[in-house]
Amino acid sequence: MNELILGTLLQAAAHGLSGWIAAVPAAVVLLLQTASEELIFRGALLKALSGRSRTARVLASAGAFALLHLFNLSAGYEAGFVCVQTGAAFVFGAAFAVMALKTGSVIPGLICHYLIDAAGGEFASGAFLLYIDPGTGSMLFTLLLGLIGASVYGIRAAAMKLRLKMIGAGKADPNKAPFVIFSDNKRYWSVFAPVVRELSARGKTVLYLTASRDDPAFSCGIEGLTAEFTGEGNKMFGRLNNLNAAVVLSTTPGLEVYQWKRSPKVNWYVHLPHAASEISLYRMFGIDYYDAILLSGQYQAEDVRALEALRDLPAKEIRMVGIPYMDEMAKKAQKLSAESDTAAPSERTVLLAPSWGSSAILAVYGEKIIDVLLQTGYHVIVRPHPQSFTAEKALLDELMRKYPNSDRLEWNRDLDNSAVLKRADIMVSDFSGVIFEFALIYNKPVIYTDPDFDLSPYDAWWLNKPLWTASALPRLGQRLTEENMPRLKELIDQCLTDPRFARGREEVKAETWLYPGEGARRAADYLVEKYDALVRKEGEEK
């Protein structure tokens, strides 16, 4: 190799100054090509596949690098030569990918790649023969331009990080808070309130950071709780990213994925889910960078461990605690006295409680589902998801105009859904989490749709197995389809009278709601134990 490179340089020297001048652009062009290939295939591509195993990442990188060389066929090269070149590119591509993963840098592979290309006779006598052939060259330069654009974006992102640090620098807490709870919306107060009360009962102080100015935490009056509005946007992230705390509890996914970064002054991040179903239905990588997670079902723990194995992540601490907010809902349901129904006398009350989005009931069926429900003769309550009034305002405005409140139908927007869940005999819904609250707390059946749900943006896509929810819903009630919708009244009557659905609710509850009534106590137990362990560890290190 060295002899070939030396020979090339000697050839350039033999032509005097003009030879060296001719060799310089050849070396620069070769360097640009080599750098573009390494940045694309061993840089950007390996990073994009960071959730996959090392073997998969190496094979994908090498395969993409090799396939690119097939474009040389379009430049007129013989098929035999291109096949050999493609095979060699796969072997070298795999080697360079291993180097990048082992060293954490594309530089070693870039150097080797450059020397191999140079040794392969890429420089020609006197002047030079451009290595970048018409087939791959134009594409690589196009990709290089893309990388330049990405670099500009990266510089802007770095500037944003610097700005966040500057915003938060003056707000770093002088003393480490023992327990901090972060809520990105006031609607999650019900998730945290039971845990806050339990910590307060033990004499613990809690700093409650919320992104809502009107969060109920400000007026709850719980002893030891200090509520603080974080601000919005960069101000909020500046506060969070420079937080000084021992233990941070949150139900917000995406830590260390988007703008919310782990603060170097926080010892331990704990995630508490806000639904009684899959933990894998968060957007990709939603819980990857938490230290611990408080769960309510064994199937959730299995999914967490499977994702960790696929992504080569360190094992999080998992503690089964139950579902604190559903425990509180159950207590409230028990205290609710039977309320008189102000609607006209009817045999039964049906609650239509959809989620929102293109796959939700109202978006898919619209007027049809309401018409069919009214044809049953039962009293109908429609309770849209709160987000629908923003994201689907035109749809709701039209439906509420065409189907105004009457003795047969009512629209419900109560902030607390306890009363309406209590009134209903059966629920019709889609993939909304309220299905499990209704079925497991109020022990009533549901009718559910089976939408064409795209899992590709979610962690569940990586697991390549059926969702637990897919096995749970048929045990809670009947599936509603376009074909059986005309028989909706029959489905409702069957769900209310068939004993197998009552048995199914008990089975599902046992799988997804461990330790009912104990969630807040068990969650507080974990938080206090972890805090005490961190204090002991810090003392030992001193």
Side-chain angles (χ1 to χ4, degrees):
M1 178 186 297
N2 291 335
E3 290 80 358
L4 285 170
I5 297 174
L6 182 59
T8 301
L9 296 176
L10 288 173
Q11 273 195 333
H15 286 76
L17 181 61
S18 62
W20 284 110
I21 293 174
V24 169
V28 172
V29 169
L30 182 59
L31 178 61
L32 285 175
Q33 155 157 356
T34 307
S36 67
E37 289 178 342
E38 292 306 310
L39 289 172
I40 292 165
F41 296 105
R42 264 68 70 179
L45 184 55
L46 286 179
K47 184 174 180 61
L49 298 173
S50 58
R52 298 292 187 177
S53 67
R54 287 179 180 269
T55 301
R57 294 166 73 186
V58 168
L59 292 177
S61 174
F65 180 56
L67 289 175
L68 185 68
H69 289 73
L70 292 177
F71 280 90
N72 289 334
L73 291 170
S74 66
Y77 288 92
E78 293 183 1
F81 169 78
V82 172
C83 289
V84 172
Q85 186 188 44
T86 301
F90 181 87
V91 174
F92 284 119
F96 298 151
V98 171
M99 286 185 191
L101 291 175
K102 288 289 187 182
T103 64
S105 170
V106 298
I107 300 300
L110 191 156
I111 295 172
C112 292
H113 190 169
Y114 183 85
L115 294 176
I116 289 171
D117 282 355
E122 305 306 343
F123 296 112
S125 61
F128 63 92
L129 176 64
L130 208 60
Y131 170 73
I132 303 179
D133 56 74
T136 58
S138 61
M139 176 174 289
L140 284 171
F141 274 121
T142 300
L143 291 174
L144 184 58
L145 289 176
L147 282 174
I148 293 172
S151 299
V152 172
Y153 177 82
I155 292 171
R156 292 178 61 188
M160 178 68 72
K161 287 184 178 180
L162 179 61
R163 183 181 176 191
L164 290 176
K165 286 185 177 294
M166 292 176 65
I167 291 173
K171 291 205 167 188
D173 301 319
N175 300 305
K176 186 180 287 289
F179 302 100
V180 172
I181 294 176
F182 168 59
S183 174
D184 64 75
N185 193 286
K186 63 182 179 182
R187 66 176 176 267
Y188 296 122
W189 170 246
S190 62
V191 174
F192 297 116
V195 181
V196 172
R197 293 191 186 96
E198 183 67 27
L199 289 171
S200 174
R202 303 183 188 195
K204 306 300 180 182
T205 58
V206 177
L207 174 60
Y208 192 91
L209 301 180
T210 173
S212 297
R213 293 180 183 273
D214 56 346
D215 197 296
F218 289 108
S219 57
C220 68
I222 298 177
E223 186 177 353
L225 176 68
T226 301
E228 176 188 320
F229 175 54
T230 60
E232 300 172 347
N234 290 340
K235 185 176 181 181
M236 178 185 73
F237 292 118
R239 179 74 173 98
L240 295 175
N241 296 351
N242 291 275
L243 191 61
N244 187 10
V247 178
V248 174
L249 176 69
S250 182
T251 192
T252 304
L255 174 66
E256 198 65 26
V257 178
Y258 301 110
Q259 287 174 281
W260 182 25
K261 305 300 182 183
R262 290 178 61 103
S263 168
K265 293 173 284 188
V266 170
N267 300 97
W268 203 252
Y269 284 91
V270 183
H271 184 80
L272 178 64
H274 52 266
S277 58
E278 261 85 10
I279 197 67
S280 60
L281 284 180
Y282 284 134
R283 294 273 173 173
M284 282 188 187
F285 319 116
I287 57 171
D288 282 4
Y289 300 102
Y290 277 92
D291 299 298
I293 184 166
L294 308 181
L295 299 177
S296 64
Q298 186 57 40
Y299 71 95
Q300 297 170 329
E302 292 170 0
D303 286 352
V304 171
R305 294 302 186 218
L307 288 168
E308 290 171 344
L310 283 169
R311 296 170 180 166
D312 197 22
L313 295 169
K316 284 177 276 295
E317 288 190 5
I318 292 178
R319 178 69 69 89
M320 293 294 172
V321 301
I323 312 174
Y325 84 91
M326 283 183 55
D327 293 339
E328 291 297 302
M329 290 183 68
K331 291 178 185 177
K332 184 177 290 188
Q334 292 171 0
K335 293 178 181 178
L336 279 176
S337 58
E339 299 181 4
S340 59
D341 194 346
T342 56
S346 60
E347 186 179 354
R348 289 178 173 130
T349 297
V350 182
L351 174 61
L352 176 61
S355 185
W356 66 281
S358 59
S359 298
I361 285 182
L362 291 181
V364 174
Y365 297 117
E367 299 176 7
K368 184 176 181 179
I369 184 67
I370 298 179
D371 286 334
V372 173
L373 283 171
L374 290 174
Q375 290 168 13
T376 65
Y378 299 148
H379 186 71
V380 178
I381 303 174
V382 185
R383 181 181 170 82
H385 190 283
Q387 187 64 27
S388 294
F389 290 97
T390 301
E392 302 169 318
K393 186 177 185 302
L395 171 64
L396 284 189
D397 287 347
E398 176 60 22
L399 290 175
M400 294 176 76
R401 183 195 63 78
K402 186 169 183 178
Y403 302 94
N405 285 324
S406 66
D407 59 350
R408 299 278 310 285
L409 179 144
E410 62 180 282
W411 294 84
N412 181 275
R413 294 187 66 176
D414 294 345
L415 291 178
D416 186 342
N417 64 2
S418 301
V420 71
L421 295 181
K422 177 74 173 177
R423 287 175 56 198
D425 297 300
I426 189 169
M427 174 184 287
V428 179
S429 189
D430 36 50
F431 46 88
S432 173
V434 75
I435 281 182
F436 293 102
E437 297 169 7
F438 182 78
L440 305 185
I441 293 174
Y442 294 88
N443 195 26
K444 298 175 182 179
V446 299
I447 290 177
Y448 62 94
T449 60
D450 189 14
D452 184 16
F453 194 55
D454 180 16
L455 290 178
S456 60
Y458 305 97
D459 276 333
W461 179 84
W462 292 72
L463 298 178
N464 194 28
K465 69 173 187 177
L467 294 173
W468 171 83
T469 301
S471 70
L473 290 177
R475 292 179 280 171
L476 300 179
Q478 295 274 21
R479 178 186 173 209
L480 180 66
T481 65
E482 187 82 36
E483 292 73 26
N484 67 15
M485 189 176 293
R487 299 189 295 108
L488 184 53
K489 184 178 188 299
E490 178 185 335
L491 297 179
I492 290 172
D493 295 341
Q494 184 178 0
C495 285
L496 289 167
T497 56
D498 192 331
R500 67 190 169 103
F501 295 118
R503 293 193 299 270
R505 291 194 292 274
E506 291 302 317
E507 294 172 2
V508 171
K509 184 175 181 179
E511 292 171 9
T512 198
W513 192 1
L514 297 179
Y515 310 116
E518 303 178 26
R521 177 179 64 79
R522 288 177 173 272
D525 283 347
Y526 175 80
L527 296 174
V528 172
E529 289 171 12
K530 177 51 62 177
Y531 175 73
D532 291 343
L534 292 171
V535 171
R536 286 196 301 271
K537 181 180 179 181
E538 186 175 337
E540 292 170 359
E541 290 176 350
K542 288 181 179 180

